[in-house]
Amino acid sequence: MTLKVYPKLLLLFLFNSVWTRTVRQVYDELDPEHWSHYTSECPKECFCPPSFPNALYCDNKGLKEIPAIPARIWYLYLQNNLIETISEKPFVNATHLRWINLNKNKITNNGIESGVLSKLKRLLYLFLEDNDLEEVPAPLPGGLEQLRLARNKISRIPEGVFSNLENLTMLDLHQNSLLDSALQSDTFQGLNNLMQLNIAKNSLKKMPLSIPANTLQLFLDNNSIEVIPENYFSTIPKVTFLRLNYNKLSDDGIPPNGFNVSSILDLQLSHNQLTKIPPINAHLEHLHLDHNKIKSVNGTQICPVSIAIAEDYGFYGNIPRLRYLRLDGNEIQPPIPLDIMICFQLLQAVVI
């Protein structure tokens, strides 16, 4: 049964909302002379749109090799091909590349020529999802802002591979083969501006060590994590969006105030083994606890402030900010206790 206090929920976060620069530019209509020049140097296997002369579209062409990239290209689309290697030759003139999409190819670590990526000095976005990589490629361009390596076979992260990536804001390693041993205390050293770290769908049993201090979004869904270490989030003071769905967390694996963290606004603990709601902070706005083993809800016990204080402050005081609460898939029977509504007066939706 679903009880909605209000019909719609306005989410604070749009998932994967890390800020990126726009890659689309507006150009005046090219004169015929320039148009002819761009067409003549465009690789025959690719498409060079006259209205977007800095882009080269070579996706879905059945390519086995990367063609020669013209010097003017900033944005290179090579996804959905049969490419196995990344060699230096095609990039000799491509000194202005900002964006490379090589998703859904057949690239292996042995197929990447030594040093070829690090020579792309202006590269900001590198997409290598859905390939056959077994470790994070190295060395990488120092100016990278996004590195997407999802759905490979990565089980190893070379020492120091991220040490020079001070501008990186997003690192996506989800759905690989990472074990706890692959994440050492210095693995993420150097990622001083990282905002989003995705290590979901790996084989972790422990919370990863030494997450960069500026991380805002941490995704650890679909691992086998059982324990949250004491004061774990004190070293990630800005973490705002935390996903731990589909793990093996139990009540004993969470410290008394493990999630009572003022920075966390969205907490997802769905599909774990909890029998009670862990203590939360008054700043929390979205809480997902569906598909656990919770049998009852006591608003007096879980309210971050006393019920009397929450009731006295009404809508104008410093009351708990919870707006969305999901509890379906547990053993809770409606109706929702009145003290839940008294405590969390900003609730817009409750799912039970």
Side-chain angles (χ1 to χ4, degrees):
M1 175 180 178
T2 300
L3 172 62
K4 293 188 177 180
V5 180
Y6 291 95
K8 293 184 179 180
L9 171 68
L10 179 62
L11 294 177
L12 175 66
F13 289 98
L14 295 176
F15 184 57
N16 279 338
S17 62
V18 176
W19 177 86
T20 60
R21 300 175 183 173
T22 181
V23 300
R24 192 73 183 182
Q25 297 183 2
V26 179
Y27 293 89
D28 295 329
E29 185 176 354
L30 298 173
D31 61 50
E33 181 180 350
H34 287 144
W35 191 330
S36 175
H37 170 69
Y38 290 140
T39 302
S40 65
E41 67 172 2
C42 183
K44 63 181 180 180
E45 309 94 332
C46 307
F47 172 59
C48 299
S51 61
F52 195 16
N54 292 111
L56 181 61
Y57 291 88
C58 308
D59 51 309
N60 297 286
K61 302 294 185 181
L63 299 180
K64 294 185 178 181
E65 296 181 349
I66 299 174
I69 311 303
R72 71 174 192 276
I73 299 303
W74 286 23
Y75 311 111
L76 177 59
Y77 299 88
L78 288 161
Q79 66 270 28
N80 291 301
N81 282 294
L82 303 171
I83 296 169
E84 297 181 358
T85 61
I86 304 176
S87 60
E88 184 176 347
K89 185 177 179 181
F91 299 102
V92 169
N93 296 318
T95 57
H96 296 282
L97 277 174
R98 305 292 201 273
W99 169 301
I100 299 179
N101 188 335
L102 276 160
N103 291 346
K104 294 187 178 180
N105 279 283
K106 298 181 179 296
I107 298 167
T108 63
N109 289 94
N110 289 335
I112 302 176
E113 187 175 333
S114 178
V116 61
L117 295 175
S118 62
K119 292 178 181 178
L120 302 173
K121 302 296 185 182
R122 300 188 183 185
L123 195 66
L124 301 177
Y125 306 103
L126 178 58
F127 300 165
L128 281 165
E129 299 178 345
D130 296 284
N131 278 280
D132 295 320
L133 299 174
E134 295 183 354
E135 64 180 50
V136 175
L140 291 163
L144 274 184
E145 294 182 6
Q146 286 194 17
L147 178 59
R148 302 191 185 217
L149 299 169
R151 294 178 299 277
N152 277 275
K153 303 172 184 177
I154 295 173
S155 61
R156 297 185 300 276
I157 301 179
E159 184 177 357
V161 67
F162 302 128
S163 61
N164 69 323
L165 303 186
E166 186 173 347
N167 295 326
L168 200 72
T169 59
M170 175 204 265
L171 175 59
D172 190 344
L173 288 162
H174 89 269
Q175 201 167 331
N176 277 285
S177 303
L178 292 171
L179 299 170
D180 296 318
S181 58
L183 304 179
Q184 301 298 315
S185 59
D186 59 352
T187 295
F188 301 112
Q189 184 175 345
L191 299 179
N192 299 329
N193 289 295
L194 194 71
M195 298 172 66
Q196 184 186 104
L197 177 60
N198 191 342
I199 326 178
K201 294 188 177 182
N202 278 279
S203 300
L204 304 180
K205 294 183 178 180
K206 301 178 182 179
M207 295 292 285
L209 300 171
S210 301
I211 300 297
N214 286 319
T215 302
L216 299 177
Q217 301 177 347
L218 178 59
F219 306 145
L220 292 164
D221 313 79
N222 292 90
N223 281 285
S224 298
I225 297 171
E226 299 179 354
V227 176
I228 306 295
E230 191 83 35
N231 299 318
Y232 180 83
F233 299 105
S234 63
T235 59
I236 325 173
K238 298 180 181 180
V239 65
T240 304
F241 193 106
L242 177 63
R243 285 193 348 202
L244 279 159
N245 303 320
Y246 291 94
N247 276 283
K248 297 182 179 180
L249 290 171
S250 64
D251 301 329
D252 293 337
I254 300 176
N257 285 295
F259 295 119
N260 187 1
V261 180
S262 61
S263 65
I264 299 178
L265 303 183
D266 193 303
L267 176 60
Q268 299 191 17
L269 297 169
S270 305
H271 293 272
N272 278 280
Q273 300 170 13
L274 303 175
T275 64
K276 59 185 179 181
I277 298 177
I280 59 176
N281 194 272
H283 291 89
L284 187 68
E285 297 189 4
H286 306 110
L287 178 59
H288 298 245
L289 285 165
D290 55 286
H291 298 90
N292 277 274
K293 299 179 180 179
I294 301 170
K295 294 182 178 180
S296 63
V297 182
N298 186 317
T300 302
Q301 292 179 353
I302 69 170
C303 191
V305 300
S306 74
I307 290 289
I309 292 176
E311 189 171 16
D312 289 344
Y313 274 128
F315 283 97
Y316 303 101
N318 187 25
I319 60 175
R321 300 177 187 176
L322 194 67
R323 288 172 166 80
Y324 180 85
L325 176 60
R326 184 171 178 183
L327 292 166
D328 56 305
N330 285 284
E331 301 175 32
I332 303 167
Q333 297 297 321
I336 295 172
L338 180 60
D339 52 5
I340 291 285
M341 310 311 297
I342 293 174
C343 176
F344 301 109
Q345 296 180 30
L346 300 179
L347 269 173
Q348 297 177 355
V350 180
V351 184
I352 192 170

